Amino acid sequence: VVLLASETTAEQPLLNKFKNGDNSPLSAQEEPQPPDPDVPNYILLIALYTLQGIPMGLSASIPFLIQQKIKNLAEMAGNTAARSMAEETVKMAAASTAAASQPAATAAQLYNAQAIFALCSWPFSLKLLWAPIVDAIYFKKFGRRKSWLVPVQTLAGLLMVGGGKWVDAQIDGATDIASFDVKGLTLFFFGLYFLMATQDIAVDGWALTMLSKVNRSRGPLCNSIGQNIGYFLSYVGFLALNDAETSEKFWRPLLGMKSRPGSAEGI
């Protein structure tokens, strides 16, 4: 009797629900969850990290341009030596010796240039040194993170716009290896990396206060997504647009543009 009474008592709430027309006892658990309130914050963080990845991708494409430039300069030097050898047959032995040592000298200069330019990424490894300064010094009226983000983005934009012609002149305008300023290029991109490392400190700190406590673990995910998007656009995209053969075979037919504009073949 006791068992029957307990079973009847346990089943009574379910019977009442069915009598009231509720055929789904688990409907309360199947209600749609409210939208994540941090979605706008995710978008903002990804946008900031994307802006951060663009200069990094550009700096990663420079070694390929350096390699191409040094090879072109070495070919020009070799052609000049060949012409001088043809004009001065008396110095044939000396010219042939110089031509034989040309590939080794080119490889050494190429490795030297690549090693020097690799120093430009050091600020990301050393940002721990000035991270306390970014966290401690700010304008209260302007905001703890915006006090650093706005000036850093402004300086980075001015540096890229103002130094773009100079970088182009160094890569395309150098007439010989001696005039190719690899150290200047390294300092230019070192400055960009320093600004982006400072922005990374500020955005990482902002993510901790911007996101709710439950979603703070998604901050690094926004970092990874945003930086990879910016890196891809400025690295792969820049190299694809900068290469003449790629533009001729893919981009011009895709966009319906004329082949080799300005040349006799295109005209």
Side-chain angles (χ1 to χ4, degrees), residues 10-27:
E11 293 176 356
Q12 189 64 34
L14 295 177
L15 294 174
N16 293 334
K17 287 186 178 181
F18 287 121
K19 288 180 180 180
N20 296 330
D22 189 359
N23 297 325
S24 56
L26 300 178
S27 60

Side-chain angles (χ1 to χ4, degrees), residues 12-206:
Q12 189 64 34
L14 295 177
L15 294 174
N16 293 334
K17 287 186 178 181
F18 287 121
K19 288 180 180 180
N20 296 330
D22 189 359
N23 297 325
S24 56
L26 300 178
S27 60
Q29 299 179 0
E30 297 176 356
E31 292 181 358
Q33 297 294 329
D36 192 344
D38 284 328
V39 170
N41 297 331
Y42 297 150
I43 297 174
L44 178 59
L45 287 174
I46 291 174
L48 290 173
Y49 284 123
T50 300
L51 293 175
Q52 181 178 313
I54 290 176
M56 298 167 61
L58 286 176
S59 65
S61 64
I62 296 298
F64 292 93
L65 302 180
I66 291 176
Q67 180 178 357
Q68 183 180 2
K69 184 62 178 179
I70 290 180
K71 287 184 177 179
N72 292 337
L73 293 176
E75 290 178 0
M76 292 172 57
N79 294 334
T80 303
R83 285 196 299 268
S84 63
M85 181 180 64
E87 294 174 357
E88 300 179 7
T89 55
V90 180
K91 299 180 180 179
M92 185 179 298
S96 60
T97 304
S101 61
Q102 187 68 30
T106 303
Q109 291 166 347
L110 177 61
Y111 291 143
N112 186 34
Q114 300 281 14
I116 293 174
F117 189 79
L119 299 175
C120 71
S121 61
W122 275 28
F124 256 85
S125 301
L126 302 175
K127 65 181 180 180
L128 185 64
L129 298 177
W130 65 92
I133 300 175
V134 177
D135 286 334
I137 300 176
Y138 59 93
F139 297 102
K140 293 183 178 180
K141 293 183 179 181
F142 195 53
R144 185 172 189 174
R145 309 303 174 186
K146 289 184 290 184
S147 298
W148 289 94
L149 289 177
V150 174
V152 163
Q153 277 295 317
T154 303
L155 288 175
L158 293 175
L159 186 61
M160 294 177 69
V161 172
K165 293 183 178 179
W166 179 82
V167 173
D168 187 61
Q170 292 300 318
I171 295 177
D172 295 333
T175 57
D176 55 6
I177 296 178
S179 62
F180 188 56
D181 191 6
V182 179
K183 295 180 180 179
L185 288 174
T186 303
L187 289 176
F188 178 83
F189 284 97
F190 186 92
L192 280 178
Y193 255 97
F194 177 80
L195 293 175
M196 293 305 102
T198 305
Q199 176 178 330
D200 188 66
I201 297 169
V203 177
D204 287 346
W206 198 9

Side-chain angles (χ1 to χ4, degrees), residues 178-256:
S179 62
F180 188 56
D181 191 6
V182 179
K183 295 180 180 179
L185 288 174
T186 303
L187 289 176
F188 178 83
F189 284 97
F190 186 92
L192 280 178
Y193 255 97
F194 177 80
L195 293 175
M196 293 305 102
T198 305
Q199 176 178 330
D200 188 66
I201 297 169
V203 177
D204 287 346
W206 198 9
L208 294 176
T209 57
M210 180 189 302
L211 300 176
S212 59
K213 187 175 181 180
V214 179
N215 296 325
R216 284 178 185 174
S217 60
R218 298 182 180 179
L221 179 62
C222 296
N223 187 333
S224 179
I225 294 174
Q227 282 194 9
N228 283 319
I229 292 174
Y231 193 93
F232 178 82
L233 291 176
S234 58
Y235 176 51
V236 180
F238 173 75
L239 290 178
L241 294 174
N242 187 67
D243 184 61
E245 294 299 327
T246 303
S247 298
E248 184 65 25
K249 294 179 180 179
F250 181 74
W251 296 115
R252 293 187 182 280
L254 180 64
L255 300 176

